[in-house]
Amino acid sequence: MEPTGIPRIPQRRIQKKPNFEVQRNVRKHIRQDRWIYLLILPGLLYFLIYKYLPMAGLLLSFQDYSPFLGFFNSPWVGLKHFETMFHDPEALRVILNTLEISFYQILFAFPLPIILALMINEVRSTLYKRTIQSLVYLPHFLSWVVVVGVFVLFLKEDGLFNNLLGSLFGIRPVSFLTDPGWFKPLIVFQVIWKEAGWGTIIILAALAGVNPQLYEAAVIDGANRWQQIRYITLPAIRNTIIILLILRLGSVMDTGFEQIFLMLNPFNMETGNVLDTFVYFKGIEQGDVSFATAVGLFKGVIGLVLVVIANRMAKKFGEGGIY
């Protein structure tokens, strides 16, 4: 029995629009916003051609691909190449090298743009601030070929840096480029020098959105600059930092092919060989395309898993996440 005294609200039936009417509305909106869609088209074509269509080649990781048999006639081998990868001592060493370099980059290179942006934000002179921003942005526009070339000129045994060490302190030349122990610190330092300034752009944009009245209220309450940064600035940009960290975790298995490849030599190959260069050596130089594709697919899956886990953890602690 229905409870008495409670008015019954009639339910309205939702009438769906006919399909032809929906299609007409879609065509109308496309026609009205045709110039916006035209602007989107180049970027859409880029991702379609260079990002999505090549994903069909991932099927090679489940084949023993032969260029003579072709894509459709090569035999299927299932998870053979993945089993080989996990039983190959060289592949395991390469994975550890990749994780170690990524860990150092997250530990040292990731926080530095945040610190640099906070320092730039504290500068009161507009001219001085813009000058600093321009100077720290410039290395980003140099290619890795130029950056590595400059480091090689400075750090080779008869280079400028070793000459200064010898003339000022009497230190014998240090083999920065051939000593395996120096490879990973140099890689991280190059990333910091080249990309730290560029990474401040997003942080400075987030800082520009902080309400100035919060700082005025903090000054009235007697807060100094450090307390304002701690209790106002950092909480205001916390969500931005977490999003950047999640995105960085997605590329934890991607340390950059060009930089690593240019820094490798026979002396530091065991320490510096990472997944990106390992795929190149296996797939291009040795012709084992299927195995190289399996390693590349493994990289992508690990990155996806890390992004999903980090995003769920961020939402669990009350942050926005990326989706």
Side-chain angles (χ1 to χ4, degrees):
M1 295 179 61
E2 296 184 2
T4 59
I6 300 177
R8 188 174 183 180
I9 301 175
Q11 296 181 354
R12 295 181 180 180
R13 293 184 178 181
I14 300 175
Q15 296 181 355
K16 295 183 178 180
K17 294 183 179 180
N19 289 333
F20 69 88
E21 188 176 349
V22 174
Q23 294 174 3
R24 185 176 61 185
N25 290 336
V26 170
R27 288 196 298 266
K28 179 182 177 182
H29 287 298
I30 292 176
R31 187 168 57 253
Q32 289 177 346
D33 302 328
R34 58 187 180 276
W35 299 115
I36 297 178
Y37 289 109
L38 189 62
L39 290 173
I40 296 174
L41 185 60
L44 186 63
L45 289 176
Y46 168 79
F47 280 98
L48 181 64
I49 296 173
Y50 295 104
K51 301 295 182 180
Y52 289 100
L53 290 181
M55 291 179 69
L58 295 176
L59 293 175
L60 295 177
S61 59
F62 305 100
Q63 293 180 322
D64 256 338
Y65 176 74
S66 171
F68 302 102
L69 298 176
F71 183 78
F72 297 100
N73 296 322
S74 296
W76 295 87
V77 294
L79 301 177
K80 170 188 171 182
H81 299 297
F82 295 95
E83 295 175 357
T84 303
M85 178 177 63
F86 289 113
H87 290 88
D88 185 359
E90 183 182 6
L92 296 177
R93 176 172 52 80
V94 166
I95 293 173
L96 291 177
N97 288 340
T98 305
L99 291 174
E100 187 175 355
I101 292 176
S102 292
F103 173 75
Y104 290 146
Q105 289 185 0
I106 293 175
L107 184 63
F108 297 106
F110 178 78
L112 204 60
I114 302 171
I115 299 172
L116 186 59
L118 292 173
M119 294 171 65
I120 293 174
N121 190 60
E122 293 299 315
V123 176
R124 293 293 170 241
S125 173
T126 304
L127 178 61
Y128 189 48
K129 180 185 294 187
R130 291 179 178 176
T131 303
I132 294 175
Q133 288 177 340
S134 299
L135 290 176
V136 297
Y137 291 168
L138 285 177
H140 170 78
F141 298 99
L142 299 176
S143 68
W144 278 115
V145 176
V146 175
V147 173
V148 173
V150 170
F151 271 79
V152 169
L153 288 175
F154 273 84
L155 298 179
K156 61 183 181 179
E157 292 193 7
D158 58 345
L160 177 62
F161 191 73
N162 274 315
N163 288 334
L164 288 176
L165 290 178
S167 60
L168 296 177
F169 305 102
I171 300 176
R172 297 180 61 183
V174 180
S175 302
F176 291 104
L177 302 176
T178 56
D179 186 353
W182 280 102
F183 182 85
K184 292 169 184 175
L186 283 178
I187 292 296
V188 176
F189 182 75
Q190 287 174 0
V191 172
I192 292 174
W193 183 79
K194 187 176 185 294
E195 302 295 346
W198 186 255
T200 61
I201 293 177
I202 298 176
I203 304 299
L204 286 172
L207 290 172
V210 181
N211 190 350
Q213 295 180 356
L214 296 176
Y215 295 106
E216 296 174 1
V219 171
I220 294 174
D221 291 339
N224 57 32
R225 297 304 302 176
W226 289 108
Q227 291 172 331
Q228 293 176 37
I229 292 173
R230 179 180 178 184
Y231 295 107
I232 298 176
T233 306
L234 289 178
I237 64 173
R238 182 176 57 191
N239 192 46
T240 302
I241 295 173
I242 290 176
I243 291 175
L244 292 175
L245 180 59
I246 294 173
L247 294 175
R248 179 62 186 85
L249 289 175
S251 58
V252 72
M253 305 298 286
D254 185 6
T255 54
F257 167 77
E258 191 175 1
Q259 178 196 14
I260 303 292
F261 182 75
L262 293 170
M263 289 292 293
L264 283 177
N265 56 59
F267 301 98
N268 57 26
M269 181 65 70
E270 184 174 349
T271 304
N273 195 15
V274 294
L275 282 173
D276 292 319
T277 53
F278 183 67
V279 168
Y280 170 80
F281 294 136
K282 286 289 186 179
I284 304 299
E285 291 192 353
Q286 300 180 19
D288 195 351
V289 179
S290 294
F291 181 76
T293 306
V295 176
L297 179 58
F298 170 75
K299 279 178 48 181
V301 170
I302 295 298
L304 176 63
V305 170
L306 289 175
V307 167
V308 172
I309 293 175
N311 191 74
R312 289 187 177 180
M313 291 294 294
K315 288 190 173 183
K316 184 177 181 181
F317 288 100
E319 300 299 331
I322 59 175
Y323 64 88

